[in-house]
Amino acid sequence: MTEILIKASQFILSLSLLIVLHELGHFIPARLFKTRVEKFYLFFDPWFSLFKKKIGETEYGIGWLPLGGYVKISGMIDESMDKEQMKQSAKPWEFRSKPAWQRLIIMIGGVTVNVLLAFFIYAMMLFAWGKEFIPNENLSYGVYADSLMLKYGFEHGDKIKAVNGIAPETLSDVFQMILVQGGRNVEIERQGGHIDVISLPAEIDQELLRLGTARIFAERFPAFVDTVLSGSLAEKAGLEKNDRILAVNDESTAFVPDLLYAIQGNKGNEVVLKVLRNNNELDLNANVGDDGKLGFGFKPATEFLQSNKHTYSFFESFPAGVREGSTIVVSYVQSLKLLFSSEGVKQVGGFLTIGNLFDNTWNWQRFWSMTAFLSIILAVMNILPIPALDGGHVVFLLYEMISGREPNQKVLEYAQYAGLVILLSLLLYANGMDVVRHLFK
């Protein structure tokens, strides 16, 4: 229960921050152009609000329905569908009386803030924590292949040299190049220096989505014990720091992934661990917990594989943050095409899916990373040309600026209705898929 509350708290805090700043992106240019803002709300307030206070011309409040937020701008057809106001002649302070270029700036303000916010967060993360990763070329023990990759001819210990002729920087890049960018020809170096090319089927992306595969390759490094929890099954078995676990029940587990699978496959059973300690081999009897754990930690991959660590000064972090954020924006936009595939549409998730992306312990680095990523998602989704979203309003404004004619008010109203129906349908579908996945695993 505590873990659920921690995840929920992080999600609500992140979402609230993003919504408020997104709406400020609309609010600030609206006020600069002397446009009246009637309401500024975090979350929606149908029928009643949890809190509200009027300051000047604007009512600030917090709604009870945490599906987003909004600013109600005078003289604009939005989710409030205030048609009575639109029947009256335009007032100087209304949105519709402003030049098209000013209205365009007001409409893209939210998306602009979300993008800049993501860039800023990435910059500050690089400044605070730097960036450390293990280059693909430094994987001296090769990779541990997912079962699907084994099916298509990969072997544990293979070294990934290129995907479609391009050398990946990290294993995450390999996954991205195959799933999103359509890479199908993978050049590998097998033990002994043999170079080969494995061709993956065209539908590999659909298989990965269907199986819910998050990683197809993992770093392969020796299984050495680093920490043994006091009172744990590992301690009772006699495991010690710096032990290397060579086998479980005579099954070779010299590398971390092998050992993890072997222990998980013996939940609740007694096993014999073959351990190398001070150049001597020992057999230790151990009872595996029902959760598939013994209660010890591995030495990290960086003890055996050379990592690259980049640190950034305050001013260096800003261009680096823009590069980091831009890469993720491009990657996310490219991945949207998967939503229109038979398996991709099944992967759509709602609030439960997003909330589960946060850690079950309060991890600020993970929190800010997820907040930056969600800010990018919010920006991209809002700029889509769907009526009722910022992108839908932008389309009509661009039409007006190019043609010199204002769109018919009835067309705007019907488009807004259609957009609200589309958004509500997507919301119900996404959260419905969360329920289905939870009930049927």
Side-chain angles (χ1 to χ4, degrees), residues 77-189:
I77 295 179
D78 56 14
E79 56 271 12
S80 69
M81 297 306 293
D82 189 354
K83 292 185 286 186
E84 293 303 316
Q85 185 183 68
M86 303 304 293
K87 290 178 181 178
Q88 302 173 18
S89 57
K91 308 296 191 301
W93 61 80
E94 289 187 340
F95 179 81
R96 53 182 167 161
S97 69
K98 303 300 177 181
W101 66 270
Q102 291 185 4
R103 284 179 279 150
L104 181 63
I105 291 174
I106 293 171
M107 289 316 306
I108 64 173
V111 168
T112 303
V113 165
N114 282 131
V115 172
L116 294 177
L117 174 64
F119 289 170
F120 178 75
I121 291 175
Y122 285 126
M124 292 300 95
M125 288 181 64
L126 292 173
F127 172 61
W129 292 293
K131 184 176 183 179
E132 185 174 15
F133 61 94
I134 300 174
N136 191 54
E137 61 188 21
N138 290 355
L139 299 179
S140 52
Y141 299 96
V143 301
Y144 192 89
D146 172 81
S147 57
L148 184 61
M149 295 298 102
L150 294 176
K151 169 185 169 183
Y152 288 117
F154 290 93
E155 295 179 5
H156 301 318
D158 286 346
K159 296 179 180 179
I160 311 298
K161 309 301 288 185
V163 180
N164 280 15
I166 300 173
E169 186 175 30
T170 66
L171 286 184
S172 294
D173 292 335
V174 175
F175 184 66
Q176 185 77 10
M177 293 163 83
I178 291 173
L179 178 65
V180 177
Q181 298 173 12
R184 295 295 180 264
N185 297 313
V186 184
E187 183 182 316
I188 63 166
E189 178 185 331

Side-chain angles (χ1 to χ4, degrees), residues 2 16 22 132 156 165 168 208 234 272 322 371 426:
T2 302
S16 300
H22 176 90
E132 185 174 15
H156 301 318
L208 291 171
V272 178
V322 171
T371 300
L426 289 173

Side-chain angles (χ1 to χ4, degrees), residues 217-391:
F217 298 111
E219 295 88 357
R220 196 166 179 252
F221 56 97
F224 277 84
V225 176
D226 186 40
T227 54
V228 178
L229 298 179
S230 178
S232 66
L233 295 170
E235 185 181 59
K236 292 174 182 177
L239 273 178
E240 297 179 4
K241 183 181 177 69
N242 296 322
D243 283 350
R244 183 176 186 182
I245 303 176
L246 300 175
V248 175
N249 291 342
D250 293 327
E251 178 186 347
S252 175
T253 58
F255 297 96
V256 167
D258 302 302
L259 180 56
L260 287 172
Y261 279 113
I263 293 176
Q264 282 286 322
N266 283 282
K267 292 179 180 178
N269 297 330
E270 183 178 355
V271 297
V272 178
L273 306 177
K274 186 177 291 295
V275 171
L276 183 65
R277 181 184 298 167
N278 298 325
N279 294 321
N280 296 315
E281 288 190 6
L282 306 173
D283 286 339
L284 302 177
N285 294 318
N287 292 305
V288 180
D290 293 333
D291 58 356
K293 295 179 180 179
L294 284 171
F296 71 92
F298 297 109
K299 288 192 174 182
T302 50
E303 290 248 352
F304 311 97
L305 306 171
Q306 185 178 353
S307 64
N308 284 0
K309 176 71 182 284
H310 297 294
T311 57
Y312 299 86
S313 69
F314 182 74
F315 293 106
E316 288 173 339
S317 68
F318 286 96
V322 171
R323 289 193 298 271
E324 184 84 1
S326 299
T327 299
I328 294 173
V329 169
V330 171
S331 175
Y332 181 69
V333 171
Q334 289 177 333
S335 71
L336 289 179
K337 66 182 179 183
L338 295 173
L339 292 178
F340 299 97
S341 64
S342 58
E343 291 298 331
V345 72
K346 299 175 187 176
Q347 308 306 314
V348 174
F351 295 116
L352 183 60
T353 296
I354 298 172
N356 278 329
L357 296 175
F358 290 88
D359 270 358
N360 52 20
T361 58
W362 200 285
N363 182 326
W364 281 111
Q365 188 171 359
R366 177 69 174 170
F367 171 82
W368 287 116
S369 176
M370 283 308 310
T371 300
F373 182 54
L374 291 178
S375 193
I376 287 173
I377 293 176
L378 191 60
V380 172
M381 299 306 292
N382 261 284
I383 205 62
L384 293 177
I386 298 175
L389 291 178
D390 296 343

Side-chain angles (χ1 to χ4, degrees), residues 23 44 69-73 76-82 388-390 393 416-417 420 423:
E23 299 307 333
F44 293 114
Y70 70 98
V71 288
K72 186 179 186 310
I73 300 175
M76 175 183 167
I77 295 179
D78 56 14
E79 56 271 12
S80 69
M81 297 306 293
D82 189 354
L389 291 178
D390 296 343
H393 291 287
Q416 191 71 11
Y417 280 126
L420 290 173
L423 293 180

